[in-house]
Amino acid sequence: MLKSVEKSLCLVLCISVLSFPCIAWGYDNFKVSVYCRAQEVSHMAEPDWLQRRWEIISQQVNIDKVYLETHRDVILVDKETLEFAREFFQSRGIEVAGGITYTIMESNRFKTFCYTNPEHRARVQEIAEHTAGEFDEVILDDFFFTNCKCDLCIQAKGARSWSRYRLDLMAEAAQNLVVGPAKAVNPKVKMVIKYPNWYDH
């Protein structure tokens, strides 16, 4: 008898939960943004891959905005995958922006592009243009720096200190390889440079 009552009560509770109208939930005092690395974004067009992960995450936290990274460690996410992922999130009321990490190999002491090397400079510009073509807002993750001391850098540095040379180089690269080309592709794009702040506190 007790087991029968328990089963009936359980059935009623399940029906009540399933039939209760879904209510959008959020937070009053802050918004939640999620940054998705290129390694994850590159899988987002796979059948059910994104859906399964979204179901797990969205049950735990209300997400307001998603950054879809287009490049990291020489992984460049293709246009079709970016469009699929953007539509997936926007159809669920999530704000979407782009992201770029200009690394060649993070595991090798955060190896970044050499902003003196003509081939690397062309690739940096290509990534900026590719990303600006997909998003009106793009954030550069905090690897927008250089620690290169190749022969090209040594020659270009001349008599300047390494600090002065790198400050000049990155200011030039930001304007001529990232912001300028991005704006040429998409005049509305907002480029956000997130400088590295790696401190123990």
Side-chain angles (χ1 to χ4, degrees):
M1 176 67 177
L2 183 57
K3 287 184 178 178
S4 176
V5 171
E6 287 175 348
K7 286 181 181 178
S8 298
L9 182 57
C10 180
L11 181 60
V12 170
L13 287 173
C14 288
I15 291 172
S16 298
V17 170
L18 291 172
S19 62
F20 194 79
C22 294
I23 299 173
W25 59 287
Y27 308 107
D28 294 331
N29 299 313
F30 61 90
K31 291 185 177 182
V32 177
S33 297
V34 175
Y35 189 94
C36 306
R37 302 178 311 155
Q39 287 90 329
E40 288 77 47
V41 177
S42 63
H43 292 289
M44 287 187 177
E46 295 176 14
D48 299 327
W49 190 95
L50 180 54
Q51 181 63 40
R52 288 195 311 271
R53 283 153 181 82
W54 174 250
E55 287 173 359
I56 294 169
I57 293 170
S58 61
Q59 289 171 4
Q60 308 301 318
V61 63
N62 181 62
I63 297 173
D64 300 288
K65 186 173 184 177
V66 171
Y67 290 90
L68 300 175
E69 188 177 77
T70 63
H71 178 274
R72 179 184 294 248
D73 286 9
V74 301
I75 296 172
L76 185 65
V77 182
D78 62 82
K79 178 182 176 70
E80 292 74 20
T81 299
L82 293 172
E83 289 177 350
F84 180 88
R86 185 177 62 234
E87 173 59 28
F88 178 92
F89 290 113
Q90 286 179 339
S91 68
R92 288 158 176 79
I94 309 299
E95 186 180 353
V96 182
I100 299 173
T101 294
Y102 279 120
T103 53
I104 293 175
M105 187 182 296
E106 276 185 79
S107 60
N108 182 17
R109 299 184 179 185
F110 306 110
K111 183 178 180 182
T112 67
F113 286 88
C114 171
Y115 294 90
T116 309
N117 184 313
E119 291 182 9
H120 286 203
R121 289 173 62 86
R123 185 65 171 162
V124 167
Q125 180 172 333
E126 177 189 351
I127 293 164
E129 292 168 341
H130 172 69
T131 308
E134 298 299 322
F135 302 100
D136 289 338
E137 179 186 353
V138 179
I139 190 168
L140 273 63
D141 196 19
D142 50 2
F143 291 86
F144 191 61
F145 67 88
T146 182
N147 55 10
C148 185
K149 285 187 176 181
C150 72
D151 291 342
L152 289 171
C153 287
I154 291 171
Q155 183 178 357
K157 170 184 161 306
R160 288 175 289 179
S161 67
W162 279 108
S163 294
R164 182 72 266 162
Y165 167 67
R166 287 171 171 160
L167 286 168
D168 293 343
L169 177 63
M170 295 311 294
E172 182 275 330
Q175 185 59 50
N176 297 328
L177 303 180
V178 180
V179 178
K183 294 258 185 203
V185 170
N186 178 2
K188 297 184 298 181
V189 73
K190 175 184 175 183
M191 302 296 292
V192 180
I193 299 179
K194 176 177 173 279
Y195 288 102
N197 289 294
W198 298 332
Y199 305 116
D200 56 7
H201 60 280

